[in-house]
Amino acid sequence: MSLHTDAVRVLEGYGDQEQLRRTYLDHLAAHEDAMWKACAAGHLTASALVVDPERGRVLLTLHRKLRMWLQMGGHCEPGDRTMAAAALREATEESGIPGLDLLPGGPVRLDRHATPCAWHLDVQYAAVAPPDAVEAISDESLDLRWYAYDDVADVADASVVRLVERTLTRL
């Protein structure tokens, strides 16, 4: 199964945000290259909010290019076999934390936003950090920092706050 096929499967099974979900599926139907950064009309991306439920906190990255506190995530790569695998790869690479586990049940949210390269149609997951997690800053980050759930709104935009809120309903 191709990543494009997996994305269609994931979105067909996603039971929320109906209008945005339909936008993603229409985009996939119209663009064979919708999974790749080269698709100038916009492309699907995969992200994951790293959570530490035992301590009531999330790990955010200060994105090097955007200079915003965000969840881990980014462009899909040819080696990604599924959207979930892409999100987990991105979360692991950007957090430096091995042993992350995606929350069951598929994506937590969808979020479409403009970026310098194109529209990102982000498929957002949540990943639970192991109890002994130690983060390590990647080349894509200026900083990594744990934030208590209630403090996220003080540093991040509304899309990250909504992702935290939806994640908490899954924990």
Side-chain angles (χ1 to χ4, degrees), residues 85-142:
L88 187 58
R89 176 189 51 75
E90 284 286 336
T92 301
E93 288 175 359
E94 293 184 11
S95 71
I97 300 173
L100 296 172
D101 284 317
L102 293 182
L103 284 181
V108 175
R109 290 194 83 251
L110 305 176
D111 187 76
R112 181 178 181 263
H113 50 272
T115 72
C117 72
W119 281 99
H120 279 186
L121 288 75
D122 198 28
V123 180
Q124 302 177 327
Y125 292 80
V128 177
D132 58 348
V134 177
E135 68 278 6
I137 297 174
S138 75
D139 291 341
E140 296 185 36
S141 300
L142 294 171

Side-chain angles (χ1 to χ4, degrees), residues 47-97:
S47 68
L49 179 69
V50 175
V51 296
D52 178 356
E54 290 184 15
R55 294 186 178 102
R57 61 187 188 162
V58 298
L59 183 65
L60 299 180
T61 178
L62 183 56
H63 193 278
R64 182 172 297 281
K65 291 180 183 174
L66 300 177
R67 303 210 184 270
M68 297 171 61
W69 287 101
L70 300 169
Q71 75 277 10
M72 314 302 148
H75 295 108
C76 296
E77 295 181 1
D80 295 329
R81 300 184 63 82
T82 65
M83 291 302 296
L88 187 58
R89 176 189 51 75
E90 284 286 336
T92 301
E93 288 175 359
E94 293 184 11
S95 71
I97 300 173

